Amino acid sequence: MVIRPMAHNLDKTDRKILEILQKDGSLSNLELADMIALSPSPCSRRVKMLEEAGYFKGNVTLLHPDAIGVNVHVFIQVTLGHQVKKQLQHFEETVSAWPEVMECYLMAGDFDYLIRVALPDLVAYQHFLDDKLTQYEGIASIKSSFSLKQVQYKTEMPLDHLTDE
């Protein structure tokens, strides 16, 4: 389901709420209200309006990969033999069910999908390839690239385009 929030209705306060909650979704309403200089009731109403309008995708706790022993990050380019809607949907449903798959994008260009997997080690990656990815019928090619170092990672989306003020 694609949600298209009405960005043109946001003011500076709404944008500030979105910026703050992207950085720390665990803030209480009182803490958030203090940070944006609003009383708690109007702050709560604004957050509820933003939530109902579809601006929030979820509220999660991000785990540090090193702390849980997930140190191998692989970007995999997948090309399917046939790019028909039914096959694309089936592939997307299949890879979405694999816990190692952190991201999967349908691409335009030289390959069909870009997948990012997170695993504890190279042995786990080999098992992922042998037991899952290469078992999927219809894949024409697989190309893997291993991350040597994470230079930038963030979960905050850019918001500068939301308000004219």
Side-chain angles (χ1 to χ4, degrees):
M1 170 171 62
V2 176
I3 297 174
R4 299 197 190 283
M6 298 173 65
H8 65 276
N9 289 338
L10 296 181
D11 62 16
K12 284 182 180 180
T13 303
D14 294 326
R15 182 175 154 200
K16 187 69 175 165
I17 290 170
L18 294 175
E19 287 173 352
I20 292 169
L21 290 178
Q22 280 194 104
K23 289 180 177 48
D24 187 356
S26 69
L27 291 172
S28 70
N29 184 59
L30 187 59
E31 292 169 318
L32 179 61
D34 284 343
M35 294 174 85
I36 60 172
L38 269 183
S39 60
S41 286
C43 179
S44 179
R45 281 193 298 273
R46 282 179 178 260
V47 170
K48 185 171 175 62
M49 181 273 308
L50 290 167
E51 184 176 8
E52 289 173 353
Y55 284 92
F56 303 134
K57 190 173 182 178
N59 191 354
V60 300
T61 297
L62 300 175
L63 302 180
H64 196 293
D66 291 339
I68 59 169
V70 178
N71 302 309
V72 175
H73 301 271
V74 185
F75 295 86
I76 308 167
Q77 299 173 1
V78 175
T79 303
L80 301 180
H82 301 286
Q83 293 79 19
V84 295
K85 186 173 185 172
K86 195 173 190 178
Q87 274 191 315
L88 296 173
Q89 287 175 329
H90 187 262
F91 180 79
E92 291 169 11
E93 290 168 4
T94 300
V95 298
S96 294
W98 296 336
E100 305 91 344
V101 175
M102 303 305 295
E103 298 174 83
C104 179
Y105 299 94
L106 177 62
M107 306 295 289
D110 296 336
F111 52 92
D112 297 319
Y113 288 95
L114 179 63
I115 300 170
R116 180 174 70 90
V117 296
L119 302 142
D121 53 38
L122 292 177
V123 172
Y125 178 65
Q126 185 65 47
H127 287 299
F128 174 78
L129 274 181
D130 291 346
D131 301 338
K132 293 182 179 176
L133 197 55
T134 59
Q135 294 298 314
Y136 187 86
E137 288 189 35
I139 292 180
S141 71
I142 298 169
K143 293 181 184 175
S144 300
S145 298
F146 293 82
S147 169
L148 298 177
K149 176 176 104 172
Q150 186 177 72
V151 176
Q152 171 72 357
Y153 175 80
K154 60 183 176 181
T155 60
E156 297 94 9
M157 300 296 276
L159 302 175
D160 291 347
H161 65 286
L162 292 180
T163 56
D164 296 328
E165 302 171 37

